[in-house]
Amino acid sequence: MRYAVLADVHANLEALEAVLGEVARCRVDRIIGLGDFVGYHANPNECLDLLRKSGMEAVAGNHDLVAVGRATADLFSRRARQAIDWTTGRVEPEHRQYLSALPEVAIVDGDFVICHGSLRSPHQYVTSAAQAIEVFHDLRDRYGSRRLCFFGQTHRPIVYRWDGMEAPVVEALRGNEVNLEASRWYAINPGSVGQSRDGDPRASFLVYDSAARQIRFHRVEYDYEACRRKVLAAGLVADRDRRSRIVRRVLQVLKSARLG
Ligand code: ZN
């Protein structure tokens, strides 16, 4: 089976359409969604329409849970909270029902495990080897023979690998292609479709070929300006505006320091 693994779409229709175009070229059998279909951008219903029509198998992300009242926005930034408040009032009843019923962890085809943040919580961030170890221990202790876990939430593509030693070694691998070894455990993040945070603004996803035991990462250009216009029209804050405001502020401070 060939799976396209998508995370953190965040209601970015332009990014999702570009990714689904590339997914079609990759000839996959199924789409796997790692949650956070909504939040930040302005097309939650359109994104859920497309993904659900594709027959996607999915877990819920923290933004999805907050949008349907399954969790609170206490840990959200001001911007994330503003976007999820906007989203909550707009998710159509049918999609609301869908998000309400999504599991937080799922085993796909008996072969691999999917979650949003970690196997313990969709709110957790796995950003270090030390945190990945917890995922590996959970995988080993609770999921039997499955040695592969896909997670999202950090919006950064990465591969953690573990050889199962008691003093475990976790490596962060980079590169487009990873061959999975049967004797090792893997925790893999495909990066984000709708809001990349690794410095590469393109949409990110991966294809997992279960027969070949191979992972391939993909990056896709999309029309960010179109997405941004809709975000601003909705009264929300656009990704790159936020960054450029911070950069402008830093430059101002540097300039005044030099003048001073
Ligand atoms: Zn997210």
Side-chain angles (χ1 to χ4, degrees):
M1 287 281 272
R2 285 170 61 79
Y3 304 88
V5 182
L6 277 49
D8 298 280
V9 173
H10 282 298
N12 184 336
L13 183 61
E14 285 69 26
L16 179 61
E17 284 176 336
V19 161
L20 291 179
E22 181 74 9
V23 164
R25 282 186 286 278
C26 293
R27 296 190 313 278
V28 304
D29 301 296
R30 282 173 82 187
I31 292 180
I32 305 299
L34 304 182
D36 275 8
F37 303 106
V38 304
Y40 293 120
H41 303 102
N43 290 111
N45 293 307
E46 294 80 355
C47 289
L48 282 165
D49 277 340
L50 280 178
L51 289 165
R52 293 180 58 196
K53 271 184 204 138
S54 78
M56 168 181 74
E57 171 148 5
V59 287
N62 52 331
H63 288 250
D64 305 320
L65 295 175
V66 173
V68 297
R70 290 172 64 184
T72 64
D74 295 349
L75 298 173
F76 279 22
S77 67
R78 208 171 66 179
R79 177 182 171 224
R81 200 173 314 143
Q82 182 202 26
I84 213 67
D85 285 347
W86 181 92
T87 302
T88 300
R90 284 168 180 82
V91 177
E92 287 162 8
E94 189 208 343
H95 291 316
R96 169 170 291 278
Q97 229 171 49
Y98 173 78
L99 295 178
S100 298
L102 281 181
E104 293 184 5
V105 179
I107 298 173
V108 180
D109 294 338
D111 181 40
F112 59 94
V113 187
I114 58 174
C115 60
H116 181 66
S118 75
L119 293 170
R120 294 185 186 189
S121 164
H123 302 275
Q124 215 168 353
Y125 287 82
V126 174
T127 56
S128 68
Q131 289 161 324
I133 277 298
E134 198 176 273
V135 174
F136 289 129
H137 285 170
D138 289 345
L139 204 53
R140 182 192 59 191
D141 297 345
R142 301 185 204 164
Y143 295 92
S145 57
R146 287 111 197 163
R147 293 186 170 210
L148 174 60
C149 170
F150 292 109
F151 68 101
Q153 170 83 329
T154 67
H155 298 208
R156 292 163 187 270
I158 198 158
V159 176
Y160 293 103
R161 186 175 71 173
W162 183 45
D163 62 6
M165 300 293 284
E166 217 32 70
V169 180
V170 178
E171 298 168 58
L173 306 178
R174 292 187 184 277
N176 284 340
E177 231 167 66
V178 181
N179 293 307
L180 304 180
E181 296 165 67
S183 62
R184 292 185 152 138
W185 283 261
Y186 293 86
I188 300 181
N189 189 322
S192 168
V193 170
Q195 191 195 66
S196 168
R197 291 180 192 162
D198 68 344
D200 180 340
R202 293 176 298 169
S204 184
F205 75 99
L206 66 78
V207 172
Y208 165 49
D209 186 324
S210 63
R213 305 292 296 162
Q214 191 182 66
I215 304 282
R216 182 172 246 292
F217 287 90
H218 294 258
R219 300 302 287 240
V220 187
E221 303 267 6
Y222 68 94
D223 185 354
Y224 174 71
E225 276 311 310
C227 166
R228 178 177 172 273
R229 278 194 294 276
K230 286 188 270 181
V231 166
L232 296 179
L236 301 173
V237 180
D239 291 342
R240 297 175 204 180
D241 288 356
R242 181 170 144 268
R243 197 181 308 152
S244 65
R245 257 211 310 277
I246 294 167
V247 169
R248 269 204 303 276
R249 181 78 193 116
V250 169
L251 289 176
Q252 257 170 23
V253 169
L254 287 175
K255 199 171 152 194
S256 62
R258 265 204 306 273
L259 291 173

